Amino acid sequence: MKESVWKIFFEGLKIYCLNIHKFLLYMLFPVLGQVLGLFWIFGLTYLYTQNLADITAKYPAMNNLSSVITSVVIMVIPGLLIFMKAFWDYLIAYVALNSMTDGYLNTGKVYDFKAHNQVAYNKTFSFIVLWFLFGIYTMISSIPVFWILGFIFFIYFILIFQVFTFENGLSPIGYFKRSFEIIRGNFAGTFILMFLLAIFCFYFLSAGLSVIFDYLNLTQILSKAFENWAFTVPIEPLEPYGVTPALIGNGMVKQLVLFITAGFTLPLRSICWTLWYKNSDKLSAEKPKKSQSKKQNAKSFKIEKREIDPEIIRRARLEDDEY
């Protein structure tokens, strides 16, 4: 029986809210680690360039290009490493959160995060290729002439990470094809669910976080910091279009708020899409099969469903972990 979009949305919201402390802790480094890494890279570089004259005056050996480049590289490497590790963990979460949802549906607990992360590591090559293909698709879709077509296919490909998590025996391209097959016939419902999640996560919750930033005076502080940084960027050609350092500063704060909101609500979206995958996949399996003659002529591939690791279920029933 097909479950309504609203039921999927509220069921996902319930699971997310009941375990929000665990999800927020799980996403803490993947989200804030990227922010910290970028602040480290650009912040230290900005401070160094602003004080370069004083540094070279005090230390004459630093007054050459090679010393400046070496100093900048040494400064940014820690930030770059933090950013890369956080970014990788964020990509892993796209798979691990689906497995966590499956674990919750089987045990009633969000449990053993490391074991769920392993689902992606078990197919590392396919995982990297999948993200590579998705990146190419995203770049093509960002071209204005492909916006509409790219958006339509985005809906058809929205379950690729659920397919990757729960189905074996497919190639990276096969994950896209399988998602297309599942969404076909469920396009309208998929669009509505995506719209609900986008409005809730990227509008309401983002607006709520903006209020918190304003209350804590973070908006003004960060906006001023970004504005000072923008003064070091050659934006003169954009000034006739109304682009100013102040505008850039305010815009970057809004993007930061949106990024943090999107990151910490990734579990909610993954939960809902996993529920939608299971519901849509169940419906597609119930559709009448093609005639036997057509089946025999067609090339078939064995698709295996990945069951949740029994060890995860066993440990979940014993006790909760540090999360």
Side-chain angles (χ1 to χ4, degrees):
M1 179 179 178
K2 184 176 181 179
E3 296 182 355
S4 69
V5 172
W6 285 102
K7 184 175 181 180
I8 294 288
F9 175 75
F10 283 114
E11 178 65 19
L13 186 60
K14 183 186 77 172
I15 296 173
Y16 178 71
C17 291
L18 288 176
N19 301 277
I20 190 168
H21 59 294
K22 297 182 180 181
F23 288 126
L24 292 181
L25 185 60
Y26 175 69
M27 297 302 301
L28 188 64
F29 178 73
V31 176
L32 297 186
Q34 293 185 68
V35 176
L36 174 61
L38 292 176
F39 269 79
W40 186 305
I41 293 170
F42 292 101
L44 285 184
T45 303
Y46 169 76
L47 291 175
Y48 181 72
T49 55
Q50 290 297 107
N51 295 278
L52 185 58
D54 295 335
I55 294 173
T56 54
K58 188 174 183 180
Y59 303 101
M62 299 294 294
N63 193 17
N64 61 79
L65 183 61
S66 61
S67 296
V68 171
I69 294 176
T70 302
S71 299
V72 171
V73 169
I74 293 174
M75 282 189 297
V76 302
I77 282 179
L80 182 62
L81 292 176
I82 293 172
F83 173 80
M84 290 176 63
K85 180 60 169 66
F87 181 68
W88 173 253
D89 288 353
Y90 190 80
L91 298 184
I92 292 292
Y94 270 82
V95 172
L97 289 167
N98 303 328
S99 183
M100 288 179 202
T101 303
D102 191 38
Y104 179 87
L105 296 176
N106 282 276
T107 67
K109 291 184 178 181
V110 173
Y111 185 81
D112 209 338
F113 283 33
K114 293 180 180 178
H116 293 299
N117 290 343
Q118 196 62 36
V119 175
Y121 286 111
N122 288 340
K123 298 186 285 185
T124 303
F125 179 76
S126 294
F127 180 69
I128 293 174
V129 174
L130 177 61
W131 270 109
F132 177 74
L133 293 176
F134 185 72
I136 293 176
Y137 156 77
T138 302
M139 287 189 293
I140 295 175
S141 299
S142 64
I143 301 173
V145 71
F146 294 122
W147 281 355
I148 297 177
L149 190 62
F151 177 75
I152 293 173
F153 275 100
F154 177 79
I155 297 175
Y156 278 113
F157 295 153
I158 207 162
L159 296 181
I160 54 175
F161 295 105
Q162 281 69 32
V163 174
F164 176 90
T165 304
F166 299 113
E167 299 185 13
N168 296 319
L170 292 173
S171 67
I173 294 178
Y175 299 126
F176 287 87
K177 292 181 178 179
R178 178 65 178 145
S179 176
F180 188 93
E181 291 174 358
I182 295 173
I183 299 301
R184 187 171 54 193
N186 297 293
F187 185 90
T190 304
F191 173 80
I192 295 173
L193 180 58
M194 183 186 69
F195 179 78
L196 288 175
L197 289 170
I199 292 297
F200 184 75
C201 296
F202 304 141
Y203 181 75
F204 287 111
L205 294 185
S206 181
L209 185 59
S210 293
V211 172
I212 295 175
F213 267 54
D214 291 342
Y215 178 77
L216 297 176
N217 204 32
L218 289 175
T219 301
Q220 183 176 355
I221 295 173
L222 291 173
S223 179
K224 189 63 178 177
F226 287 134
E227 182 181 348
N228 291 335
W229 172 82
F231 275 111
T232 66
V233 180
I235 61 172
E236 290 80 6
L238 300 177
E239 289 179 353
Y241 302 97
V243 178
T244 63
L247 182 66
I248 292 176
N250 292 328
M252 292 184 72
V253 172
K254 291 179 181 179
Q255 290 302 311
L256 177 62
V257 169
L258 182 61
F259 173 77
I260 293 175
T261 306
F264 281 112
T265 57
L266 177 61
L268 172 60
R269 300 193 299 278
S270 295
I271 292 168
C272 288
W273 289 123
T274 298
L275 295 174
W276 186 250
Y277 161 83
K278 289 182 173 294
N279 183 58
S280 301
D281 186 47
K282 186 191 306 180
L283 289 175
S284 63
E286 293 173 355
K287 291 180 180 179
K289 298 181 179 179
K290 294 182 179 180
S291 63
Q292 190 67 25
S293 59
K294 290 184 178 180
K295 267 188 172 184
Q296 292 173 350
N297 293 331
K299 185 177 180 180
S300 62
F301 295 90
K302 185 178 180 181
I303 300 176
E304 299 176 351
K305 298 291 182 179
R306 185 192 73 82
E307 300 295 336
I308 186 173
D309 188 347
E311 181 64 13
I312 296 178
I313 298 178
R314 184 187 71 80
R315 281 181 281 180
R317 287 172 177 166
L318 290 176
E319 58 180 355
D320 205 354
D321 65 359
E322 66 270 20
Y323 293 102

